[in-house]
Amino acid sequence: MTRESCANIITKKLLISVLYSPTSTLTRNLDWRRVKVKPFVSNSRALRLQQQHQPNIQMPLNVFQDKDGLPRIVLTDPNGSSAEVLLYGGHIVSWKNQRKEELLFMSSKAKWKQHKAIRGGISACFARFGDVGSLEQHGMTRNRMWSLDRDPSPLPPIDNHSSVDLILKSTGVDLKTPQSFELRLRISLSTGKLILIPRVRNTDNKPFSFAFSLCNYLSVSDISEVRIEGLETLDYVDNLMNRSRFTEQADAITFDGETDRVYLHSPNKIAIIDHEKKRTFVLQKNSLPDAVVWNPWNKKAKALPDLGVDDYKMMLCVNSAAIDTPIILKPCEEWKGYQEISTVSSSYCSGQLDPRRVLYGFQ
């Protein structure tokens, strides 16, 4: 074995050890080149082979250090779609379709620094129940370096998906009342679809309750040309009205000012229709009964240091959440959620929408 090949092996081992260390400061300082490593990313065909024939097969994973010094994972689909995930915050910062169109919004003033939450993309928000008023701002999971999960619990394989498993463990200072837990997140990509499966396990010796949200910043053409179907007639909490409760009276949600609402006991499928782009996001979820709808509009946008003045026009947050009713876990119990975002083309114009086709099928 040559001296050069020995050096390459040592470099790869060092890279993998850094990736799997949630506390290592080397993740910020190691000068990675774009490399191929082989930790826990696979598609379903490989997973079936792993289970049936070759139990240790691992598919290659694209990992590199971006220009801001943050470890970044790239998932790709054979048809050309892609997703990019930061270990910092377990944050999905990009999702592009097969035409290379960006589907997620990212603030023009996003702070790409550790100890700062990134404004945009998709992130997991986790808070001890009782702190739900600040759930969206709660930075405990978004300000920490996650790790690749060495031992993810088996989940049902999904055809033609590439995926990555992340894990974040409590440190004793994460909650106002220290609690021991593990937060896992599986991110899976296929053509036109992005799936997230969050799991929380109580590793403490006493029960605890929490609230959870997957915060989805969706890219839209113009917020005034967007409507949401599926939340009509529901009760909601209006955070702009001292958390007062109301019932949605409109046939669909449209936007002409700041919106910050939690829709309670929402359906498992919600449609976000962008008339100008002729594109519909279909959000499906399980074990996440609430839906958060947020847009800061112009006045609030000016007050947010990490959001561009006009960025509000090109974004909409529709989040899958469990906020109104606490999730309670006894010792060793685990909660699992599910979110799937897909996109479909829309040929209709404003005023010609049949919401039943969006929500119940396009056959």
Side-chain angles (χ1 to χ4, degrees), residues 246-257:
F246 302 92
T247 299
E248 182 59 64
Q249 302 295 327
D251 293 334
I253 299 171
T254 57
F255 301 89
D256 58 6

Side-chain angles (χ1 to χ4, degrees), residues 107-125:
S107 169
S108 61
K109 292 186 177 181
K111 299 182 183 299
W112 298 86
K113 298 179 180 179
Q114 293 201 43
H115 311 299
K116 296 288 186 181
I118 299 169
R119 176 79 64 182
I122 300 177
S123 60
C125 300

Side-chain angles (χ1 to χ4, degrees), residues 36-204:
K36 294 268 189 178
V37 295
K38 297 185 178 181
F40 306 89
V41 115
S42 65
N43 59 30
S44 60
R45 293 176 183 173
L47 183 58
R48 283 196 292 270
L49 283 173
Q50 177 178 346
Q51 293 171 336
Q52 298 171 7
H53 304 294
Q54 301 178 20
N56 293 319
I57 286 180
Q58 297 170 341
M59 298 297 289
L61 175 65
N62 241 351
V63 182
F64 66 98
Q65 187 181 34
D66 65 19
K67 61 183 178 60
D68 299 291
L70 299 175
R72 184 174 297 220
I73 300 162
V74 180
L75 301 177
T76 56
D77 172 80
N79 291 318
S81 61
S82 65
E84 298 185 14
V85 184
L86 295 183
L87 288 183
Y88 177 67
H91 206 124
I92 303 173
V93 294
S94 176
W95 174 32
K96 294 180 180 178
N97 60 21
Q98 58 268 39
R99 294 184 296 276
K100 308 304 179 184
E101 298 169 336
E102 182 58 65
L103 302 174
L104 301 180
F105 166 83
M106 185 58 64
S107 169
S108 61
K109 292 186 177 181
K111 299 182 183 299
W112 298 86
K113 298 179 180 179
Q114 293 201 43
H115 311 299
K116 296 288 186 181
I118 299 169
R119 176 79 64 182
I122 300 177
S123 60
C125 300
F126 175 84
R128 187 175 178 83
F129 195 79
D131 300 334
V132 295
S134 61
L135 182 61
E136 293 304 321
Q137 293 77 35
H138 193 80
M140 184 270 291
T141 57
R142 298 190 294 170
N143 296 347
R144 291 266 307 279
M145 189 66 74
W146 293 50
S147 301
L148 294 174
D149 194 352
R150 283 184 178 275
D151 186 25
S153 300
L155 290 173
I158 307 174
D159 288 339
N160 301 318
H161 283 213
S162 60
S163 62
V164 62
D165 290 284
L166 306 180
I167 186 170
L168 178 67
K169 296 183 179 182
S170 57
T171 62
V173 296
D174 295 318
L175 303 174
K176 290 182 178 179
T177 303
Q179 202 88 35
S180 177
F181 64 88
E182 293 177 348
L183 172 57
R184 285 179 162 88
L185 182 63
R186 169 167 288 185
I187 303 166
S188 298
L189 171 75
S190 69
T191 302
K193 187 180 298 184
L194 187 65
I195 295 174
L196 283 79
I197 302 178
R199 291 175 290 156
V200 178
R201 176 174 290 275
N202 183 356
T203 56
D204 211 305

Side-chain angles (χ1 to χ4, degrees), residues 136-362:
E136 293 304 321
Q137 293 77 35
H138 193 80
M140 184 270 291
T141 57
R142 298 190 294 170
N143 296 347
R144 291 266 307 279
M145 189 66 74
W146 293 50
S147 301
L148 294 174
D149 194 352
R150 283 184 178 275
D151 186 25
S153 300
L155 290 173
I158 307 174
D159 288 339
N160 301 318
H161 283 213
S162 60
S163 62
V164 62
D165 290 284
L166 306 180
I167 186 170
L168 178 67
K169 296 183 179 182
S170 57
T171 62
V173 296
D174 295 318
L175 303 174
K176 290 182 178 179
T177 303
Q179 202 88 35
S180 177
F181 64 88
E182 293 177 348
L183 172 57
R184 285 179 162 88
L185 182 63
R186 169 167 288 185
I187 303 166
S188 298
L189 171 75
S190 69
T191 302
K193 187 180 298 184
L194 187 65
I195 295 174
L196 283 79
I197 302 178
R199 291 175 290 156
V200 178
R201 176 174 290 275
N202 183 356
T203 56
D204 211 305
N205 57 7
K206 55 183 178 295
F208 77 97
S209 60
F210 64 94
F212 189 89
S213 174
L214 289 171
C215 185
N216 307 303
Y217 280 81
L218 304 178
S219 174
V220 299
S221 57
D222 185 338
I223 187 62
S224 62
E225 292 294 325
V226 174
R227 59 193 282 145
I228 299 177
E229 300 280 353
L231 302 178
E232 54 275 5
T233 74
L234 295 184
D235 291 339
Y236 65 88
V237 174
D238 195 330
N239 289 321
L240 302 179
M241 301 289 290
N242 297 317
R243 299 186 58 80
S244 299
R245 295 201 177 199
F246 302 92
T247 299
E248 182 59 64
Q249 302 295 327
D251 293 334
I253 299 171
T254 57
F255 301 89
D256 58 6
E258 183 181 356
T259 303
D260 189 355
R261 299 175 180 176
V262 181
Y263 285 84
L264 308 175
H265 310 294
S266 60
N268 289 338
K269 186 181 287 188
I270 300 167
I272 302 96
I273 301 120
D274 188 332
H275 294 295
E276 187 171 320
K277 285 190 175 180
K278 294 182 172 58
R279 180 173 67 203
T280 296
F281 290 100
V282 180
L283 189 154
Q284 300 182 68
K285 56 191 178 64
N286 284 309
S287 300
L288 292 161
D290 306 320
V292 179
V293 178
W294 182 73
N295 183 282
W297 219 251
N298 56 351
K299 185 177 179 180
K300 182 69 172 291
K302 293 177 182 178
L304 295 172
D306 59 348
L307 188 67
V309 173
D310 292 324
D311 282 357
Y312 76 93
K313 298 177 182 178
M314 300 174 287
M315 58 146 286
L316 176 62
C317 281
V318 182
N319 306 339
S320 304
I323 294 176
D324 188 55
T325 302
I327 301 169
I328 302 173
L329 291 180
K330 297 177 181 178
C332 299
E333 282 188 339
E334 181 179 89
W335 167 85
K336 181 175 75 173
Y338 178 91
Q339 174 183 278
E340 175 185 312
I341 305 178
S342 58
T343 60
V344 293
S345 298
S346 307
S347 59
Y348 43 74
C349 301
S350 181
Q352 298 178 338
L353 171 66
D354 180 358
R356 290 173 296 180
R357 290 191 69 209
V358 175
L359 295 174
Y360 305 115
F362 288 84

